[in-house]
Amino acid sequence: MYRSILQMISKLFVVLCCLLGVVLAVEKYSDKYDNVDYKMILENERLLLGYSDCLLDKGKCTAEGKAIKENIQEALENGCERCTDRQKQGIKDVISYVIKHYPALWKEITDKYDPEGIWRKKYENFAKEEGIAIP
């Protein structure tokens, strides 16, 4: 009798663990824009400033810009845990490039999305590790 109760409890435990795993599984952001050539955007000042104007509420947004704008706050706060691998690499490249080539823009974006400087330190430390001097 005890054996059957223990078997039932262990089966219930396994089922609960599986359900918990499903609930805790992190849903990724859409990969719809993963193939956007962000390096080309970074190298084209007009495009880069267009995207930054979108993020800073200074201009119109493309569909890609809207998607970034909708998710940027959460992505900053959770270390991009819902990002695809391509998105994570893109974000590292973009942050590095903007800090290095457009420090005033980096400040403006971080002032808007991280006014208390909570997340800025983390990303600036990343930049330093990548050999990027922050002014």
Side-chain angles (χ1 to χ4, degrees):
M1 180 165 158
Y2 288 114
R3 178 176 260 180
S4 64
I5 291 174
L6 286 174
Q7 287 175 339
M8 190 167 76
I9 290 173
S10 63
K11 287 179 184 177
L12 180 60
F13 180 74
V14 168
V15 169
L16 288 175
C17 286
C18 290
L19 287 174
L20 183 61
V22 169
V23 170
L24 294 178
V26 177
E27 181 183 338
K28 298 287 185 189
Y29 296 126
S30 170
D31 63 355
K32 182 177 181 178
Y33 301 112
D34 279 10
N35 292 320
V36 170
D37 186 356
Y38 62 88
K39 290 181 180 180
M40 184 266 306
I41 293 169
L42 292 174
E43 293 169 359
N44 182 320
E45 187 174 40
R46 184 183 59 80
L47 290 175
L48 175 63
L49 295 178
Y51 277 95
S52 64
D53 283 350
C54 164
L55 292 176
L56 295 168
D57 299 320
K58 294 180 177 180
K60 294 182 179 180
C61 294
T62 63
E64 297 93 342
K66 285 179 188 176
I68 294 168
K69 191 173 177 178
E70 288 171 5
N71 297 305
I72 191 171
Q73 191 69 49
E74 179 188 19
L76 282 172
E77 292 174 5
N78 69 27
C80 214
E81 71 180 20
R82 292 182 55 201
C83 296
T84 64
D85 290 340
R86 170 94 167 118
Q87 291 164 352
K88 286 179 184 178
Q89 184 58 53
I91 288 168
K92 287 178 182 178
D93 292 344
V94 169
I95 288 173
S96 298
Y97 189 89
V98 172
I99 288 173
K100 185 174 183 178
H101 298 283
Y102 295 90
L105 176 58
W106 172 250
K107 182 175 179 350
E108 203 173 347
I109 290 171
T110 55
D111 284 351
K112 176 175 176 64
Y113 290 98
D114 188 20
E116 296 173 14
I118 296 169
W119 312 109
R120 182 180 327 198
K121 184 80 172 152
K122 174 182 177 180
Y123 295 105
E124 289 179 349
N125 284 338
F126 156 76
K128 287 178 185 175
E129 289 170 7
E130 295 293 314
I132 298 166
I134 299 171

